Structure formats: C-alpha cells, structure tokens
Amino acid sequence: MTTRTEPAFTRLFDLSGKVALVTGARTGLGKALAEALASAGADIVGLGSRPMPETAGAVTALGRRFREIVCDLEKPHDFPALAADIVAQAHGIDILVNNAGIIRRQDMLDYTEEDWDAVMTVNLKSLFLLSQAVARHMVATGRQGRIINIASLLSFQGGIRVPAYTAAKHGVAGLTKLMANELAPRGITVNAIAPGYMETDNTAALRADPERTRQLMERIPAGRWGAPQDLATAVLFFAAPASGYVTGTVLPVDGGWMAR
Ligand code: NAP
C-alpha cells in the first residue's frame, strides 16, 4: 500500500542538485563513496593527486556530472583559492568528504620524520585546511552543508607500527567534534565514518600476510574484510537532509570490531 508519507521520506535521502567534493576519489573507499553519492543524485568533484578516469566513468554512467581536480595534498596549497576554483567550476559545494589518506608502516623506534610529516600533512593538516575553506563558502552562501571525514579504528585504538597514522586519525576524530560544535549554529553538520578493515590498497600489506589476516579475521565478528560499498549507507545518511540533527559523531562501520 502506498502511503502519503513516502514521497517526503524519499526526499530526506535525495541529493539531487547537490555537489559533493570527494578527496581521494580515484580508488578504494573514495571511489565507492563518490559512486554512492552520485547514485543519490549528487554531482561529484573528485580530488586526488592523479587523474581518475574509472571514477569519472562510474559517476557519469549514473547520469551525474563529474569534475576532476588534480592536486597533491602533501604539497603546500592556497586552500581558499583551491576551494574558490572548485566553487566556480561546480557552482558551489554542498557536501565535503575528506577521504584522502596515506599510511606508512614502521616500528615506532625506527619511524622517520619524513614519514611522520607526509602522513600528518595528507591525513590531518590538509583535511583541516580544506574543511575550513569549504566551510567558509558554506557559511557565506547559507548552505545546510555536510562535512564527512573518514576516520579509522585507529581513531579509537593505538595500533602498531603506524604512529603518524594513529596520531592523525585521533586528530580527525577530535577535529570532527570541534568543527561540529562551531558549525552547528550555521546549519552545517560534521560527522566521521570509521571504517574497519577494508579491502583496498591501504590494507594490501596486511592482506598479503596470512598470519595477520588470520588474527584480524578471528577478531571481526562479521568474519570478513569490509568492501568499499559497505560504507555507502553511512555516507548517504550523513550527506542527506535526513541527518540534519546528527553532528559530531564518529560512526564505526567495522563488522563489529569495536564491539568485541
Ligand atoms: P587507497 O585506495 O590507498 O586510497 C587513498 C586515496 O587517497 C587515493 O584515492 C589517493 O588518490 C588519495 N591520496 C593519497 N595521497 C594523496 C595526496 N597526496 N593528495 C591527494 N590525494 C591523495 O586507500 P583507502 O583504503 O581507500 O583509503 C581511503 C581513506 O580511508 C583513508 O583516509 C584511509 O586512512 C581510510 N581508511 C581505510 C581503511 C581500510 O581498511 N582500507 C580503514 C580505515 C580508514 P591519488 O592516488 O590520486 O593520490
């Protein structure tokens, strides 16, 4: 039976007419996040250090516009100018997904300053500066904006052999709450998704190690690696009008890992 409430309910998850800027959209989680947002009606701006033809093809196949920004987030940037350029090309930014990230593994005793700086710059500093520039645009144009950060289980736990990554991802969780506090009065929500162990390039080294794989699978109640598409419903919820009163949260999508 069709009820009168269905159309309004559907609109709560409709992103038609919205523009989503997704960093790190070439591969893995970022590509899946861009596809999920496009499937709900958003046009996509993909930002990464390399061209992303596969993401462009997937988004346009869904009938949405795709624009590409090639930009190495490890290098210094004029983030306000970068945001202004994207706004001019895409006619605004409604949703920002801070997904780009790198991981460098080494024992804490041997960790180099170079690896520390690279990880902190891509995973934390650029996330803040891009969010600041985009939030200024959202405030100036009165948008009910959405900022969605990709955190990690290492936003909650220490991990091993990834000191810069752990520090950066704890920082992402903290910044999510700070930005949520300051932007809520402007109608902008800021939330984070903390993926579990997902099948992407980021975990290639772990997945190539049978002993580490066995240890991880024993601890994941769902008993499997996550697929990038497992994040689709979470990003759509945080991006959609439906979640307007949800802000400052860090949501694990981890097959139950944090509950164990
Ligand atoms: P991935 O396949 O390695 O993707 C990383 C993305 O970040 C790539 O698209 C890459 O694009 C972009 N990127 C890296 N360095 C960049 C730079 N200097 N400038 C601009 N873009 C850059 O790994 P992933 O697993 O999808 O990771 C996505 C996010 O999820 C990361 O923040 C990661 O920490 C987080 N995460 C992953 C897992 C997991 O299990 N996989 C778990 C928790 C959190 P280019 O190649 O174009 O530079």
Side-chain angles (χ1 to χ4, degrees):
M1 193 183 88
T2 304
T3 68
R4 279 165 178 265
T5 56
E6 270 180 8
F9 180 78
T10 305
R11 277 200 298 278
L12 283 173
F13 293 93
D14 183 10
L15 301 182
S16 300
K18 306 284 187 191
V19 173
L21 169 59
V22 181
T23 70
R26 185 182 64 82
T27 52
L29 305 186
K31 178 169 179 286
L33 295 167
E35 286 182 52
L37 294 165
S39 71
D43 289 335
I44 305 296
V45 181
L47 185 155
S49 70
R50 286 176 274 181
M52 47 192 93
E54 286 183 23
T55 310
V59 168
T60 51
L62 288 162
R64 308 314 321 164
R65 283 200 72 158
F66 182 82
R67 293 176 180 82
E68 179 178 278
I69 305 289
V70 175
C71 165
D72 184 348
L73 293 172
E74 200 180 322
K75 302 218 167 92
H77 282 290
D78 179 342
F79 281 92
L82 176 67
D85 183 34
I86 297 168
V87 165
Q89 286 189 45
H91 310 296
I93 303 169
D94 302 285
I95 300 156
L96 168 63
V97 182
N98 285 305
N99 164 78
I102 56 173
I103 194 161
R104 302 260 177 100
R105 299 175 198 277
Q106 186 54 267
D107 292 347
M108 174 257 177
L109 294 177
D110 298 323
Y111 213 79
T112 64
E113 186 173 349
E114 184 193 354
D115 282 347
W116 176 272
D117 286 344
V119 173
M120 293 300 275
T121 301
V122 176
N123 293 17
L124 189 60
K125 183 178 177 182
S126 75
L127 178 147
F128 174 67
L129 293 176
L130 185 61
S131 299
Q132 181 188 53
V134 171
R136 285 176 181 160
H137 154 69
M138 290 171 171
V139 169
T141 54
R143 280 178 157 73
Q144 305 284 297
R146 298 283 189 265
I147 298 176
I148 302 156
N149 298 321
I150 302 304
S152 166
L153 298 180
L154 297 184
S155 298
F156 309 108
Q157 301 177 308
I160 50 170
R161 306 188 74 244
V162 285
Y165 189 85
T166 298
K169 293 296 185 180
H170 272 67
V172 169
L175 270 181
T176 298
K177 296 168 200 170
L178 174 130
M179 293 194 290
N181 293 338
E182 293 200 26
L183 295 174
R186 313 294 197 135
I188 298 164
T189 68
V190 187
N191 292 285
I193 299 169
Y197 287 86
M198 317 296 284
E199 278 185 279
T200 69
D201 292 351
N202 178 292
T203 54
L206 287 181
R207 287 181 290 115
D209 180 338
E211 181 56 16
R212 283 289 283 141
T213 296
R214 187 189 60 75
Q215 291 168 350
L216 290 170
M217 288 309 126
E218 276 179 7
R219 154 104 208 236
I220 299 173
R224 65 168 175 89
W225 293 88
Q229 292 73 18
D230 285 321
L231 301 187
T233 44
V235 78
L236 290 178
F237 176 65
F238 287 137
S243 62
Y245 200 58
V246 179
T247 197
T249 65
V250 183
L251 175 69
V253 180
D254 63 353
W257 172 282
M258 288 300 295
R260 190 70 180 264

